[in-house]
Amino acid sequence: MKRMVTQLLATTCLITSSLAMAIEPPKRPACIAPAGPGGGLDFICRSISKALNQQEIIPGNIAVTNMPGGGHGVGFAHVVSKRQGDFGVFVATSTGTVTRLAQNGYPNLDSTMVNWAASMGAEPGVIAVRKDSPYQSLTELVDAIKKAPGSVTFAGASPQGGDDNLRVLLTAKRAGVSGLNDLRYLSFNNGGDALVQVVGGHVDVFTGDLSESLGFFESGDLRLLAVLADERVEGKAADVPTAKEQGVDVTWLNFRGVYVAPGITDEQYDWWVDSLSKLYETPEWKQVMKQNGLMPFHKTGDEFKQYVTEQIAEVNALSKELGIIK
């Protein structure tokens, strides 16, 4: 009896997957990056679009549109209000989107209003400074803000209280810094803009994600002080110590993924889930992950929806703990 049930479930899954893949790809595919060019969401949007095309999962060009503003909120609101039932549109998303949802940052909008399709990897946060910065390690930076919290200016892509800001506050708190309200954080449209400000000497410290910082790191213009992961990463930043190694018990992983429009059919949603799963398993996507510092992190369909729900609850609690929201 147990074997029969198992076989029946397997057959059902095969039929569901076959039906999803039997659907024609969208006629007018388009990816929205709800941030400016040069940041992590722009990267994931363009990388997925290119890979879907190269793998012939979606033939023809895929339009990419940058839609910055509101901590990913402009793009989120656009899809909810303007793209109802649009099978062709998919949106790059990350922990930053979840953070703003957790803090009620999108008025009258919540996570149930879009269809969460898949995560396509995750990357650790980093704390970095320009090449001639006086700070040679996370320990030296922490010592400086312990003495005078307002003496150091941080730059990130998220709004005040968003994920880039949160990781600074959490790192400072875990390091024993008092006066968290005095820490100075400046928000930019994307990680690229924030990095330019730091490399140019206008702001002291970059707080963002590994993939965003690799270009300036490789050119020698940026010094990575810490990777916010449990262990050192592989690849180009393998020699960068973690925050934990430097005595600060903090990790921060930023998933990179996709949600699709509300109002599409179950079959269309399954097509996206299956197509993104197929893409994730290709050697080409594994290479994209390796080159850009993404760690394995793949959740799809209901599992991804559940993960988002749990993350929203956790970030909400953390934001209250740090005084971001009441």
Side-chain angles (χ1 to χ4, degrees), residues 303-324:
E303 183 186 18
F304 188 38
K305 292 177 190 176
Q306 182 62 30
Y307 171 78
V308 167
T309 300
E310 291 171 355
Q311 285 293 104
I312 286 173
E314 290 180 13
V315 173
N316 180 272
L318 176 61
S319 298
K320 289 177 178 176
E321 178 188 343
L322 294 172
I324 301 294

Side-chain angles (χ1 to χ4, degrees), residues 23-30 57-59 61 86-90 271-272 275:
I23 294 176
E24 295 256 341
K27 302 295 184 187
R28 287 184 284 276
I57 296 172
I58 296 181
N61 292 330
D86 188 339
F87 175 38
V89 69
F90 62 106
W271 184 91
W272 276 112
S275 295

Side-chain angles (χ1 to χ4, degrees), residues 18 55 70 100 150 231 261 276 308 323:
S18 297
Q55 295 297 314
R100 298 304 291 156
E231 299 177 352
L276 291 166
V308 167

Side-chain angles (χ1 to χ4, degrees), residues 34-37 39-40 68-72 153-160 162-165 184-199 201-207 212:
H72 315 172
T153 304
F154 294 85
S158 74
Q160 197 82 23
D163 61 318
D164 289 343
N165 189 194
R184 298 171 62 197
Y185 172 82
L186 298 178
S187 171
F188 294 88
N189 276 335
N190 56 72
D193 288 350
L195 279 162
V196 167
Q197 294 299 313
V198 172
V199 170
H202 308 295
V203 186
D204 300 309
V205 184
F206 172 72
T207 165
E212 297 173 314

Side-chain angles (χ1 to χ4, degrees), residues 34-55:
L41 292 184
D42 183 64
F43 149 73
I44 201 70
C45 202
R46 295 181 188 277
S47 296
I48 290 177
S49 296
K50 181 179 179 181
L52 285 170
N53 189 248
Q54 288 178 335
Q55 295 297 314

